[in-house]
Amino acid sequence: MATVTLRFLSKPTFLLALLMMMAVAVNQSDAQLSTNFYANSCPNALSTIRTSIRTAISRERRMAASLLRLHFHDCFVHGCDASILLDQSPTITSEKTAPPNDKSARGYQLIDAAKARLETICPGVVSCADVLAVAAKEASAYVGGPSWNVKLGRRDSTSAFPDETLTDLPFFKADLQTLIDNFGAKGLSPRDMVALSGAHTLGQAQCFTFRDRIYSNGTDNIIDRGFASTRRRRCPAVGGDDALAAMDLVTPNSFDNNYFRNLVQRKGLLETDQVLFSGGSTDSIVMEYSRSPSRFSADFAAAMIKMGDIQPLTGSAGQIRRICGAVNN
């Protein structure tokens, strides 16, 4: 906050200085996102993003999972500011090559393409952070998941935060309390955490992220034996670290509640999946979602809205990047 010296000021000057301080505080901390932020400045923004994203997913349905994950990885690292989209440069150490994202995060080119279309109709208006938030919603809706009204008005970071990817993104071997603490630090409840984890009903995981689980039958790693045997066919005990396997074998490209049904049957692929149903405090939520697709969908949409509120840049903070992979000159 800007510093204003108040000592020895006349009453009118004192009041003016006080108002200046209040204005700065409001500008920096109380700026609000709005679902109609672009209603006047770029009225076709949402339809433009929708067309671009849905066309891309129609060509490769797996991209729906990738876009949801990209938004998650953006918001959990220094807030929803599109820092994950910045490319490596002399002044930027990119998050793209940080361990949690390297050879894993996908969909950058889809965001770039949607942004390029926006720049032709309303240049310098729609942020990359907002494009990513809307893309995640469109991805969910296109593959049968819920839709929601995306709050808009975020601005783009001028920095990347690769070190924070290691501390703020959930580790695939984390225990339940660590996950609860991790999500709690972002203002998300255990119910939000379980609902958001349901995005793992889509997409694929690399062998190294679940190898220990499928080759271990310890009490901390409860797993259905038949499921483990099936998964070993695509993930050898040694080598093949990058081999991909569907998170949900039944409906890998459709958004549904099979993820939670799998957990109840001890068929969660990642340790951080199965730990949600392993005799702990989130068992009841998993059971509820396994029985009620509508409750899961409603809670997922609500949790996505909350996640989109994590530390956005608003007002005069950050910038509206012209190209999502680079800060403006």
Side-chain angles (χ1 to χ4, degrees):
M1 181 183 295
T3 300
V4 180
T5 302
L6 301 180
R7 183 181 293 180
F8 305 130
L9 296 179
S10 65
K11 185 174 181 180
T13 306
F14 175 88
L15 291 174
L16 178 60
L18 186 60
L19 289 171
M20 289 172 59
M21 292 175 65
M22 293 172 63
V24 171
V26 168
N27 183 57
Q28 291 185 349
S29 63
D30 293 334
Q32 297 294 310
L33 303 180
S34 166
T35 57
N36 61 357
F37 188 83
Y38 299 113
N40 295 320
S41 60
C42 192
N44 292 323
L46 297 184
S47 61
T48 299
I49 299 171
R50 179 183 304 116
T51 299
S52 183
I53 295 302
R54 293 193 171 200
T55 299
I57 297 175
S58 71
R59 295 173 181 149
E60 185 186 357
R61 200 169 173 89
R62 180 189 165 201
M63 274 296 179
S66 299
L67 290 171
L68 283 165
R69 185 169 183 263
L70 199 61
H71 183 41
F72 176 85
H73 277 220
D74 181 40
C75 290
F76 261 57
V77 176
H78 216 79
C80 308
D81 59 3
S83 61
I84 194 172
L85 304 179
L86 286 169
D87 293 324
Q88 188 79 12
S89 77
T91 58
I92 298 290
T93 302
S94 179
E95 294 173 25
K96 292 183 178 182
T97 52
N101 297 325
D102 191 31
K103 300 178 182 178
S104 173
R106 306 169 70 242
Y108 301 111
Q109 72 277 17
L110 274 62
I111 304 302
D112 290 341
K115 172 64 171 174
R117 290 191 183 187
L118 290 169
E119 288 297 295
T120 65
I121 61 172
C122 43
V125 174
V126 183
S127 69
C128 298
D130 279 347
V131 174
L132 185 49
V134 175
K137 184 263 290 191
E138 293 299 337
S140 169
Y142 189 82
V143 294
S147 183
W148 55 91
N149 293 322
V150 179
K151 290 194 277 185
L152 304 164
R154 301 169 190 81
R155 290 169 66 84
D156 300 323
S157 171
T158 56
S159 302
F161 311 93
D163 290 345
E164 292 183 29
T165 67
L166 301 175
T167 58
D168 289 19
L169 290 171
F171 182 50
F172 58 84
K173 293 176 72 67
D175 61 28
L176 181 59
Q177 190 57 54
T178 299
L179 290 173
I180 290 174
D181 292 343
N182 185 277
F183 279 74
K186 304 298 181 183
L188 299 168
S189 69
R191 178 172 283 269
D192 296 327
M193 176 187 74
V194 176
L196 291 172
S197 297
H200 284 180
T201 190
L202 298 168
Q204 303 182 47
Q206 293 172 295
C207 173
F208 79 91
T209 64
F210 60 88
R211 175 183 285 120
D212 287 349
R213 174 161 163 72
I214 63 174
Y215 285 96
S216 171
N217 289 312
T219 56
D220 293 334
N221 235 353
I222 300 172
I223 188 169
D224 178 86
R225 290 186 179 183
F227 173 77
S229 177
T230 298
R231 293 301 196 162
R232 289 170 186 164
R233 298 171 191 166
R234 297 292 300 273
C235 181
V238 178
D241 285 1
D242 296 336
L244 295 173
M247 302 292 287
D248 173 17
L249 288 173
V250 181
T251 55
N253 292 311
S254 296
F255 195 104
D256 53 35
N257 71 331
N258 274 347
Y259 169 80
F260 299 104
R261 295 178 181 177
N262 290 338
L263 297 188
V264 172
Q265 298 171 18
R266 311 296 182 188
K267 296 180 180 179
L269 185 59
L270 304 180
E271 290 179 42
T272 47
D273 292 327
Q274 194 59 61
V275 75
L276 301 179
F277 191 84
S278 57
S281 60
T282 55
D283 280 19
S284 60
I285 305 173
V286 170
M287 187 63 74
E288 179 183 358
Y289 291 162
S290 75
R291 294 170 174 169
S292 177
S294 60
R295 171 48 58 192
F296 163 50
S297 290
D299 284 0
F300 180 83
M304 288 294 290
I305 292 172
K306 286 180 67 176
M307 187 181 77
D309 284 342
I310 298 175
Q311 294 178 264
L313 297 175
T314 57
S316 60
Q319 62 180 211
I320 305 298
R321 290 189 219 133
R322 292 187 292 272
I323 298 172
C324 291
V327 298
N328 300 338
N329 295 326

